[in-house]
């Protein structure tokens, strides 16, 4: 009786059937038939209860519980005049056999009677049932569907199709049918469709082949809707308690749905068939349709795989321009290319449509990447939550399956988020996967790459070291860690050790051995630039040249190695020797940015300013937005053509900065940018401001003897020069390097104005720079130089002191500070500071010249040597330091 109390809607059906079972006796001896009627009512009640139990087990696919109920029915001698019990036993045996052979079914391997005992017994039962013909039409249809299933799993597809053709499907679609009939309906449609697909058609029957493909597709679409409806109806019978039995302790616990092979095929075959035939738009439309169906307990796994499949289709096959909204039909152009007039779901309406979510007031993605990422983030939360964490041996298979499931989601997430530059969010998602990714190299490697792209260098290095522990024979992993140490963390000693570990592999490093020597050379070169002692600096430079020369000898066709070898030769002022490897680099990669820039600096070091300016112009024609090249161009124009021409380039740089980075621009940066979308800013085109004009040739400071400024000119200057500061001070957003670039432009313009003796304009430029980073050492140096030009020497010294406190080894700060001290009579202190400058920057001709002046002021005998060293260094000094060329892997 307790199991009867657990039933919901089945209880009502039970009492209706009892009314028909217990009938009055109207003839014969009343007392004789009273006992018979009582006995009949008891028997009918038990029989109906058992039948209801069987129906529930069939709906919930609990095949292992059915034999016990069937034995009870046989013991009570129910259904002696028909084959109902035999049919139930045949279904239970068949379904248990299919559950045990899921892998063979997925590989389309026929099941044999001699190896499958349950299948052999089920087949015998069904043959007996069909030969006797003792079942009612309802159960006969069920027997035919089960026999179709037997034929299909044994590879007799034509017989399976014939059995499906004999089934009266209208019997399964009538109202007030048991829930499991929807499952049988879905399985019948999918068996028919799969049987059609497996049958071989001769090449001459093209029309018949097309008809068969359409017929099978219509079966798949109906099977999918019927399967979804079945899962929804099953949810209602399990989760909706009867009003009188709604106590928590009486409700049966939810049964975990284990969808069989044919139910899974019913859910998936429609969109798989469309995608396999190249109908991408219709396949995506079908996936969107099934994802809009109201979720049920048994459909969660299917929804997860469908969402992952849809995201994969969107990312791989749908461009930004061809994207269509999720709630609309596929575009007619897509359908025309696929040879269809409308979507297949409109052509083949379903017999039992499932319930779908309302589309009113719902969020709708605006582009293909947004929809894909939303799908994947939902799927990722499900996959990570369902992942098997247990390391027990008996959980190994389940753990591996859940890991593969999650890995496919994370791979798609990597593709989608990389398009948007969302590396920080990607790294957070991958970090959640670490709880079930012990010793799983792929996910660890993806996490390391995402952390590196997101600028989280410390975490990236730790992850790459863990990856190297998993695969100690892989030389790329220490090199990736070294790349992060060099480029992001400036841990040159750690990078050197990592590079040396790859070098020690020897030939085992393969083609990465030259790159290991390159990394080793860059580490030594960078340490030489940071070294404060001359002996250490010379040692590092020597080791850098040796490593880079070795790398170049191992791989003379690597343009980057050749370029960095030339750069290292230039750093030690072997300018002529640097030309040879640089020429080889340009021969291999003629439009390389760093090679062209280095060539410009080498030409300027040889005082060929005109050729250098032509070269930087060529480089800018290929890399027009590179501000490092533009700063070099400004310096060359100042030396060759004067400050006025260079100021025009500064004006162009400000305009270019505004068009590229300014918050008043209306277009996004490129999707390939590594800058996260949250850091990219934009406003409407209507809010765009006019271009910035920096140079005002009619505005001269009164102290220079030129015309005094008018009030109109002052207002024009203030409006023009505060154009960007109003953005930078109150609405500054985005990465720091953007605003550092703007500050450098303003300071460069101020320096040119000072070189042209236009101090008032220089003051305004410095003020604009101070609104961005008011305490930067570059700004303090520029303010000190302006104060020095105005004769405010005490103020200049204070500003130089502040700059030195921030950047104690700055070459220009030390030189200007030392010369100021010598100029103000504090020769010994000035000499000391200039000696520090020479010690740190031994190739600075300005530091040597300043030290010579300090020594000369006190008639020291070493002064001529300092001047000679300064002359020698100036002869090979580039227009800008060679160190401006980025040294990284």
């Amino acid at each position: 009786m307790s199991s009867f109390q657990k039933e919901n809607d089945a209880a009502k059906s039970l009492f209706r059937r009892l009314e028909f079972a217990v009938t009055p006796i109207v003839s014969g001896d009343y007392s004789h038939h009273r006992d018979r009627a009582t006995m009949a009512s008891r028997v009918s009640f038990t029989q109906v209860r058992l039948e209801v139990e069987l129906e529930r087990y069939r709906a919930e696919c609990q095949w292992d519980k059915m034999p016990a109920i069937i034995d009870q029915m046989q013991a009570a001698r129910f259904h002696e005049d028909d084959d109902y019990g035999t049919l139930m036993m045949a279904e239970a045996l068949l379904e248990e056999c299919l559950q045990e052979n899921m892998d063979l079914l997925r590989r389309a391997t026929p099941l044999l009677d001699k190896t499958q005992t349950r299948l052999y017994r089920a087949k015998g039962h069904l043959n007996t049932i069909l030969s006797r013909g003792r079942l009612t039409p309802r159960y006969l249809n069920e027997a035919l569907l089960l026999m179709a299933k037997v034929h299909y799993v044994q590879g007799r597809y034509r017989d399976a199709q014939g059995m499906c053709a004999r089934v009266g499907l209208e019997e399964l679609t009538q109202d007030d049918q048991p829930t499991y009939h929807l499952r049988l309906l879905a399985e019948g449609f999918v068996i028919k469709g799969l049987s059609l697909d497996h049958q071989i058609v001769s090449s001459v029957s093209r029309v018949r082949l097309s008809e068969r493909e359409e017929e099978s597709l219509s079966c798949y679409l109906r099977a999918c809707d019927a399967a979804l409806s079945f899962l929804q109806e099953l949810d209602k019978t399990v989760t909706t308690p009867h009003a009188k039995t709604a106590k928590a302790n009486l409700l049966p616990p939810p049964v975990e749905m284990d969808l069989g092979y044919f139910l899974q095929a019913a859910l998936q075959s429609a969109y798989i068939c469309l995608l396999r035939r190249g109908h991408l738009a219709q396949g995506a439309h079908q996936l969107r349709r099934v994802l809009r169906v109201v979720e049920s307990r048994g459909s969660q796994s299917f929804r997860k795989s469908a969402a992952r499949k849809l995201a994969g289709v969107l990312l791989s096959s749908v461009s930004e321009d061809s994207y269509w909204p999720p709630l609309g039909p596929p575009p007619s152009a897509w359908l025309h290319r696929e040879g269809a007039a409308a979507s297949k779901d409109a052509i083949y309406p379903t017999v039992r449509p499932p319930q779908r979510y309302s589309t009113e007031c719902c969020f709708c993605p605006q582009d293909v990447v947004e929809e894909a990422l939303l799908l994947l983030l939902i799927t990722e939360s499900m996959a990570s939550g369902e992942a098997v964490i247990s390391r027990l041996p008996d959980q190994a298979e389940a753990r591996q399956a859940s890991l593969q499931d999650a890995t496919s989601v994370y791979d798609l997430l990597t593709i989608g988020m990389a398009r948007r530059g969302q590396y920080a969010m990607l790294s957070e998602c991958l970090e959640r996967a670490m709880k079930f990714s012990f010793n799983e190299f792929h996910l660890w490697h993806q996490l390391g790459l995402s952390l590196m792209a997101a600028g989280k260098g410390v975490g990236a290095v730790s992850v790459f070291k863990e990856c190297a522990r998993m695969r100690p024979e892989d030389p790329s992993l220490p090199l990736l860690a070294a790349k992060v140490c060099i480029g992001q963390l400036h841990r040159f000693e750690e990078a050197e050790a990592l590079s040396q570990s790859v070098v020690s592999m020897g030939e085992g490093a393969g083609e990465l051995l030259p790159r290991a020597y390159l990394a080793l050379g860059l580490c030594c070169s960078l340490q030489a630039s940071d070294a404060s002692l001359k002996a250490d600096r010379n040692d590092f430079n020597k080791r850098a040249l040796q490593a880079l020369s070795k790398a170049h000898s191992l791989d003379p066709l690597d343009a980057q190695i050749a370029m960095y070898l030339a750069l290292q030769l230039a750093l030690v002022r072997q300018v002529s020797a640097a030309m040879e490897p640089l020429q080889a680099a340009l021969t291999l990669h003629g439009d390389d940015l760093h090679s062209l820039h280095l060539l410009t600096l080498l030409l300027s070091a040889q005082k060929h300013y005109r050729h250098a300016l032509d070269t930087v112009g060529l480089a800018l024609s290929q890399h027009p937005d590179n501000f490092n090249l533009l700063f070099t161009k400004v310096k060359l124009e100042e030396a060759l053509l004067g400050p006025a021409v260079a100021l025009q380039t500064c004006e162009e740089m400000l305009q270019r900065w505004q068009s590229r980075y300014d918050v008043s621009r209306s277009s996004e940066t490129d999707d390939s940018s590594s800058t996260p979308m949250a850091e990219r800013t934009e406003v409407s085109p209507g809010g765009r401001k006019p271009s910035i004009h920096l140079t005002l040739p009619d505005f001269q400071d009164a102290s220079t003897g030129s015309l005094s400024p008018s009030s109109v000119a002052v207002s024009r200057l203030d409006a023009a020069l505060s154009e960007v500061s109003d953005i930078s001070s109150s609405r500054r957003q985005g990465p720091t390097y953007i605003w550092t670039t703007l500050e450098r432009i303003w300071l460069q313009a101020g320096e040119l104005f000072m070189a042209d003796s236009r101090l008032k304009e220089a003051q305004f430029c410095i003020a604009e720079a101070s609104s961005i980073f008011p305490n930067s050492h570059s700004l303090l140096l520029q303010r000190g130089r302006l104060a020095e030009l105005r004769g405010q020497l005490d103020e200049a010294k204070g500003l130089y002191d502040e700059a030195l406190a921030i950047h104690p080894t700055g070459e220009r700060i030390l030189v200007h500070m030392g010369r100021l001290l010598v100029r103000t009579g504090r020769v010994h202190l000035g000499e000391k500071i200039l000696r520090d400058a020479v010690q740190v920057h031994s190739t600075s001709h300005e530091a040597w010249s300043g030290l010579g002046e300090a020594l000369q002021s006190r008639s020291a005998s070493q002064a001529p040597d300092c001047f000679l060293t300064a002359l020698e260094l100036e002869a090979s000094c580039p227009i800008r330091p060679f160190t401006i060329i980025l040294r990284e892997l």
Side-chain angles (χ1 to χ4, degrees):
M1 191 65 178
S2 61
S3 64
F4 173 74
Q5 290 178 344
K6 296 178 184 178
E7 297 302 322
N8 172 22
D9 296 336
K12 297 180 181 179
S13 175
L14 175 65
F15 285 108
R16 284 201 301 268
R17 297 175 68 175
L18 283 174
E19 289 175 359
F20 291 102
V22 184
T23 55
I25 305 299
V26 295
S27 61
D29 182 66
Y30 177 80
S31 62
H32 172 73
H33 290 287
R34 181 179 58 189
D35 293 337
R36 291 177 57 191
T38 304
M39 181 62 68
S41 67
R42 290 176 181 174
V43 170
S44 299
F45 178 85
T46 304
Q47 177 178 339
V48 171
R49 179 180 64 81
L50 293 176
E51 289 178 359
V52 169
E53 287 282 331
L54 280 177
E55 286 187 5
R56 182 166 69 88
Y57 292 151
R58 295 178 74 185
E60 296 176 358
C61 302
Q62 299 188 62
W63 312 113
D64 57 330
K65 296 183 179 180
M66 289 178 60
I69 304 297
I70 296 171
D71 291 342
Q72 293 181 40
M73 296 182 70
Q74 291 177 347
R77 305 181 67 180
F78 298 148
H79 289 286
E80 288 185 308
D81 56 344
D82 58 27
D83 294 322
Y84 177 81
T86 307
L87 175 64
M88 298 299 103
M89 182 60 71
E91 183 177 26
L93 291 170
L94 176 60
E95 295 297 340
E96 287 181 342
C97 173
L98 298 184
Q99 283 183 344
E100 293 175 354
N101 296 277
M102 288 286 285
D103 293 337
L104 294 176
L105 293 174
R106 291 192 180 101
R107 295 197 298 266
T109 302
L111 305 182
L112 303 178
D113 292 340
K114 59 182 180 182
T115 58
Q116 304 294 335
T117 306
R118 286 193 176 95
L119 178 62
Y120 177 75
R121 292 175 57 195
K123 183 179 177 181
H125 288 325
L126 291 172
N127 282 326
T128 301
I129 292 169
L130 293 176
S131 63
R132 290 178 181 176
R134 296 165 58 183
L135 289 174
T136 61
R138 166 186 167 179
Y139 294 117
L140 181 61
N141 271 337
E142 296 178 9
L144 290 172
L145 283 175
L146 291 176
M147 183 56 78
K149 193 179 296 187
V150 170
H151 287 320
Y152 179 84
V153 300
Q154 292 195 321
R156 295 190 294 271
Y157 304 117
R158 190 174 296 276
D159 293 340
Q161 179 190 352
M163 283 292 174
C164 291
R166 293 173 57 186
V167 176
L169 295 178
E170 64 279 357
E171 293 288 336
L172 301 176
T173 57
Q174 292 179 356
D175 294 334
D176 201 22
Q177 292 292 316
T179 303
Y180 73 88
H181 269 199
L182 284 173
R183 175 181 60 81
L184 293 176
L185 180 66
E187 293 178 344
F189 276 126
V190 78
I191 289 172
K192 182 179 180 181
L194 291 172
S195 300
L196 288 170
D197 277 349
H198 278 89
Q199 294 179 44
I200 301 175
V201 180
S202 61
S203 58
V204 296
S205 305
R206 295 184 181 275
V207 176
R208 178 57 182 153
L209 177 61
S210 177
E211 293 175 353
R212 181 166 292 179
E213 288 179 350
E214 288 297 312
E215 186 178 0
S216 65
L217 180 58
S218 69
C219 291
Y220 293 149
L221 290 169
R222 292 185 172 100
C224 181
D225 284 351
L228 291 169
S229 297
F230 161 68
L231 294 175
Q232 289 177 347
E233 292 298 321
L234 183 62
D235 245 13
K236 295 177 184 177
T237 61
V238 173
T239 60
T240 307
H242 190 270
K244 295 182 180 180
T245 61
K247 296 182 180 180
N249 58 346
L250 297 179
L251 289 177
V255 180
E256 291 296 329
M257 278 295 298
D258 185 12
L259 304 183
Y261 170 76
F262 288 102
L263 203 53
Q264 292 181 25
L267 292 168
Q268 299 174 0
S269 293
Y271 69 79
I272 290 177
C273 175
L274 288 167
L275 295 175
R276 187 176 296 163
R277 295 175 185 176
H279 300 166
L280 298 176
Q282 297 177 75
H285 180 64
Q286 172 66 14
L287 285 165
R288 286 169 166 176
R289 284 183 69 247
V290 299
L291 289 174
R292 288 202 301 271
V293 171
V294 175
E295 186 173 359
S296 57
R297 178 171 47 90
S299 66
Q300 291 179 354
S301 177
F302 162 69
R303 292 174 69 87
K304 182 173 63 177
S305 61
R308 181 174 66 243
K309 189 68 177 179
L310 176 57
V313 171
L314 292 173
L315 290 174
S316 63
S317 305
V318 180
S319 65
E320 294 283 352
D321 296 333
S322 60
Y323 176 76
W324 71 97
L327 301 180
S332 56
W334 278 83
L335 295 175
H336 180 72
R337 284 198 302 269
E338 297 173 3
S343 59
K344 297 298 182 182
D345 60 291
I347 300 175
Y348 304 113
T350 184
V351 290
R352 288 292 296 268
Q355 295 180 353
R356 288 184 164 83
Y357 289 113
S358 172
T359 57
E360 296 180 2
C361 303
C362 64
F363 174 79
C364 187
Q366 300 301 311
D367 59 67
V368 59
V369 178
E370 184 175 293
E371 180 178 356
L373 287 180
L374 289 173
L375 288 167
L376 290 170
L377 288 172
I378 295 172
T379 309
E380 184 265 338
S381 66
M382 298 171 64
S384 62
E386 298 171 1
V388 179
I389 303 177
S390 173
R391 306 296 299 180
L392 294 175
D394 58 343
Q395 296 289 322
E397 185 176 350
R399 184 173 64 251
Q400 191 63 29
S402 67
L403 177 66
Q404 291 177 356
D405 189 31
T407 300
S408 63
V409 176
Y410 287 116
D411 288 345
L412 290 173
L413 265 176
T414 301
I415 296 172
M417 290 188 173
R419 290 189 183 181
R420 290 296 178 86
Q422 295 282 4
Y423 299 111
M425 184 182 294
L426 175 61
S427 65
E428 293 173 2
C429 293
L430 288 167
E431 283 174 357
R432 290 196 292 269
M434 292 299 102
K435 65 181 180 181
F436 54 84
S437 302
F438 176 72
N439 272 350
E440 294 298 333
F441 174 81
H442 178 69
L443 287 177
W444 278 86
H445 193 227
Q446 292 286 75
L447 174 61
L449 293 174
S450 65
L451 289 170
M452 181 174 68
K456 302 176 181 179
V458 176
V461 171
S462 299
V463 171
F464 285 136
K465 286 182 178 179
E466 180 66 18
C467 292
R469 184 194 60 79
M470 298 180 201
R471 292 189 180 178
E473 74 284 355
D474 189 346
S476 66
L477 302 171
L479 288 180
L480 282 172
K483 176 183 175 68
V484 178
C485 288
I486 293 172
Q488 297 182 14
L489 303 179
H490 305 290
R491 296 179 180 174
F492 304 132
E493 295 83 359
E494 186 176 356
E496 182 181 359
L498 290 165
S499 305
Q500 189 63 50
S501 68
V502 180
V503 169
S504 62
M505 293 182 184
E507 295 182 357
E511 60 184 11
L512 290 179
L513 185 59
R515 308 296 295 180
Y517 276 107
L518 171 62
L520 187 60
L522 290 178
C523 293
C524 294
S525 177
L526 289 163
Q527 289 180 84
S529 298
D530 290 346
S532 58
L533 298 178
K534 183 178 180 180
D536 293 341
R537 185 162 52 250
N538 292 339
D539 180 59
F540 282 126
N541 281 325
K542 180 181 178 181
R543 290 168 54 193
L545 275 176
Q546 290 175 348
L548 292 169
S549 298
K550 179 67 174 178
H552 187 54
S553 65
L554 289 172
D555 191 358
L557 298 181
D558 191 316
Q560 189 182 36
I561 292 176
M563 187 274 296
Y564 278 126
L565 176 58
L567 176 59
Q568 182 58 34
L569 290 169
L571 287 170
V572 295
R573 295 301 176 90
Q574 299 182 28
V575 176
S576 300
M579 282 295 187
E580 182 178 351
L582 182 59
Q583 184 177 3
L586 288 169
T587 302
L588 294 168
H589 194 180
D591 60 347
D592 178 60
L593 168 64
H594 296 314
S595 297
L596 291 171
H597 202 175
L598 179 56
L599 177 59
T600 301
L601 297 179
L602 288 174
L603 290 171
S604 69
Q606 296 173 338
K607 305 303 180 278
H608 301 318
Y609 291 136
R610 173 57 64 184
H611 294 306
L613 188 58
D614 294 340
T615 303
V616 79
L618 174 63
L620 283 169
S621 67
Q622 300 178 34
H623 308 278
D625 292 329
N626 188 272
F627 285 98
N628 206 11
L629 284 175
L630 288 168
F631 281 116
T632 302
K633 180 183 178 183
V634 168
K635 288 291 187 181
L636 287 170
E637 288 177 338
E638 180 186 9
L640 192 63
L641 305 173
V645 177
L647 280 168
Q648 295 178 5
T649 303
C650 282
E651 180 182 353
E652 295 172 3
M653 291 170 69
L654 279 172
Q655 294 173 359
R656 191 174 296 277
W657 184 94
Q658 187 179 32
S659 64
R660 184 176 179 184
Y661 298 126
D662 191 1
V663 293
S664 63
R665 61 191 174 90
S666 60
S667 61
E668 290 187 356
T669 55
D670 187 78
D671 281 345
S672 63
S673 171
S674 62
T675 305
M677 288 297 293
E679 295 177 350
R680 304 177 192 174
T681 51
E682 59 176 299
V683 295
S684 62
R688 193 176 181 87
K689 298 185 178 182
S691 61
I692 301 171
H693 297 282
L694 176 63
T695 56
L696 297 172
D698 58 340
F699 179 20
Q700 300 290 332
D701 193 281
S703 62
T704 64
S706 59
L707 296 176
S708 59
S710 63
S711 59
V712 177
V714 172
S715 63
R716 287 175 57 195
L717 179 69
D718 182 67
L721 295 184
S722 61
E723 178 77 26
V724 179
S725 69
D726 124 270
I727 298 167
S728 59
S729 60
S730 61
R731 299 172 56 190
R732 190 165 71 213
Q733 303 176 24
T736 304
Y737 74 87
I738 292 178
W739 303 99
T740 303
T741 301
L742 180 60
E743 180 205 34
R744 289 176 59 199
I745 297 173
W746 283 118
L747 292 178
Q748 180 63 68
E751 187 176 341
L752 291 172
F753 277 126
M754 285 190 283
D756 204 24
S757 300
R758 300 168 64 179
L759 303 186
K760 191 169 184 64
E761 288 91 334
Q763 173 65 42
F764 276 100
C765 290
I766 293 172
E768 295 297 333
S770 66
S771 67
I772 304 172
F773 297 113
N775 296 317
S776 72
H777 64 85
S778 300
L779 175 67
L780 294 170
L781 170 64
Q782 204 82 310
R783 289 176 59 193
R785 291 186 60 195
L786 182 61
E788 189 176 351
L789 288 174
R790 287 177 168 173
Q792 301 166 355
L793 302 184
D794 291 338
E795 181 182 352
K797 180 184 176 301
L799 291 167
Y800 290 150
D801 282 333
E802 293 180 26
L804 278 174
I806 298 172
H807 188 31
T809 60
E811 174 194 351
R812 298 179 65 198
I813 304 173
L814 289 170
V815 171
H816 284 286
M817 182 66 165
R819 282 181 163 168
L820 177 61
L821 290 172
V822 172
R823 179 181 172 187
T824 56
R826 304 174 67 179
V827 178
H828 291 285
L829 182 57
E831 179 185 342
K832 196 267 182 194
I833 291 179
L834 289 166
R835 285 187 182 275
D836 291 341
V838 168
Q839 179 70 24
V840 178
H841 307 281
S842 59
T843 57
S844 170
H845 68 279
E846 292 184 348
W848 282 102
S849 177
L851 180 58
E853 292 173 1
L855 293 171
Q856 187 182 38
S857 65
R858 62 182 185 86
S859 303
S861 59
Q862 300 95 338
D865 295 334
C866 293
F867 288 130
L868 287 174
T869 303
L871 287 173
E872 291 176 1
L873 291 173
E874 187 179 10
S876 61
C877 178
I879 198 71
R880 294 180 68 202
F882 290 115
T883 52
I884 64 171
I885 295 180
L886 198 61
R887 285 171 283 180
E888 63 178 7
L889 282 177

